[in-house]
Structure formats: C-alpha cells, structure tokens
Amino acid sequence: MPTEIYPSSPRRDLQGGVVWTAFGCLVVTLSWQMDRMTQQGATLHTAPGLWPGIVGSMLALLGGVLVLRSWRRAQRIGWDAAEGDDTNYAALSSFALAAAMFFVYALLLVGRGLPYWLGTALFVSTFVFLFQYAKRKSDGKVARGVVVALACGGLTALLVTLVFEQLFYVRLP
C-alpha cells in the first residue's frame, strides 16, 4: 500500500479543531437558549433544542479530540512537519456514489409520496447492498448480502420511526 503525506500539518489540525470546538459550543449555547415549548406541554426530551444541542456537543467533543491529536502529533514531528499516512481511504467513486444516494434520498424519497419508513428502508437496504456487494460476490454470499441489506433497512426504518414518533413526538413525512 503506498504511503502518502498528510494533507495537513499538526498546526492546521489544531486550528481546525479549535474552530470546530468553538462552533460546537456556539450550537450548544444557542440550542440551550431555544424556547423549550413547556407552555405546550413539551418535556425535556421533546424540546426543539435537544438534538441541535446533542449535535453541537458532539462537534465540540470531536473538535477537542482533533486538538488533542494535533498536539500529540506536534510533539512527535513538530508543528509544521508532515508524516507518512497509511490510512486506507475510500475511493472517490465510492464517495460520489454515497453522496448521490444521500441526495436522492433527501430530495426524491422523503416527503415525495412514499411513507418515511418505506423510503428509509429502501435507502438503507440499497446502500448496504451496494457497498457490500464486491466483498459478498468474492465470497460467494450475494444472497446473504441481500438478506442482510433488507434486515438493516427494515430495522433502521422501524427504529428511527419508533424513536422519533413515539419518544420525541416528531411526525415524520
């Protein structure tokens, strides 16, 4: 496997980590300030700012991890140096396929006549099948791959629908 150079020095990772941490903290602060809709009977777990707050917390946490990682790399190689990287990155074609599938899901499947659960089940099943197909074909287990993909799609659609509609009282399209 060829070794490539990190596209970013520890200094750039530190700067990016600080920006992501600050942005995550801003999102948490703004979500905390949102109306909690208590006058309409909402509880803490149904408040509109809950999910943005969780996402903001995760952004801040991961930004902090990036800061820590850059600090440790800088101690080893210096702030402006680059080092070998043997990370097995996904091919650009795989990324493009995933991005296209996300756009089809968001723009064509959800809210366009199909019930949410069905669009989600189709999307997840197709996604899992396509991205496992090459491995399943080489192992001679394509039929098993279809079953796994359908199970993943069905379970994901069921769990997401139940969680959002029954726990968070969010009506899905």
Side-chain angles (χ1 to χ4, degrees):
M1 179 177 299
T3 299
E4 296 180 17
I5 300 297
Y6 274 104
S8 184
S9 68
R11 181 180 315 279
R12 290 281 292 174
D13 283 349
L14 176 70
Q15 292 167 348
V18 167
V19 168
W20 282 113
T21 302
F23 180 68
C25 290
L26 176 67
V27 169
V28 168
T29 301
L30 293 174
S31 67
W32 184 261
Q33 294 173 353
M34 287 180 74
D35 183 11
R36 290 182 178 74
M37 304 288 193
T38 54
Q39 71 278 12
Q40 296 176 358
T43 61
L44 177 64
H45 72 280
T46 61
L50 176 66
W51 280 108
I54 291 171
V55 171
S57 298
M58 294 310 301
L59 286 174
L61 175 72
L62 293 173
V65 169
L66 185 57
V67 166
L68 180 63
R69 178 178 163 250
S70 69
W71 189 270
R72 288 184 177 165
R73 270 185 67 213
Q75 288 177 332
R76 275 195 345 261
I77 65 170
W79 283 105
D80 296 314
E83 63 183 353
D85 179 11
D86 61 355
T87 304
N88 187 15
Y89 293 103
L92 183 59
S93 60
S94 294
F95 175 79
L97 176 61
M101 289 180 70
F102 286 128
F103 280 112
V104 166
Y105 173 70
L107 300 175
L108 300 177
L109 288 180
V110 177
R112 300 277 186 215
L114 283 179
Y116 176 83
W117 64 269
L118 181 57
T120 300
L122 288 171
F123 168 75
V124 173
S125 296
T126 304
F127 193 94
V128 169
F129 179 76
L130 287 177
F131 282 94
Q132 287 186 347
Y133 180 74
K135 175 80 169 124
R136 297 274 186 193
K137 186 175 179 185
S138 68
D139 294 345
K141 298 180 180 179
V142 174
R144 180 182 172 118
V146 170
V147 171
V148 168
L150 290 172
C152 288
L155 286 172
T156 300
L158 177 70
L159 290 174
V160 168
T161 302
L162 286 175
V163 166
F164 276 88
E165 289 187 350
Q166 302 300 316
L167 183 63
F168 297 117
Y169 304 116
V170 174
R171 197 170 153 270
L172 298 172

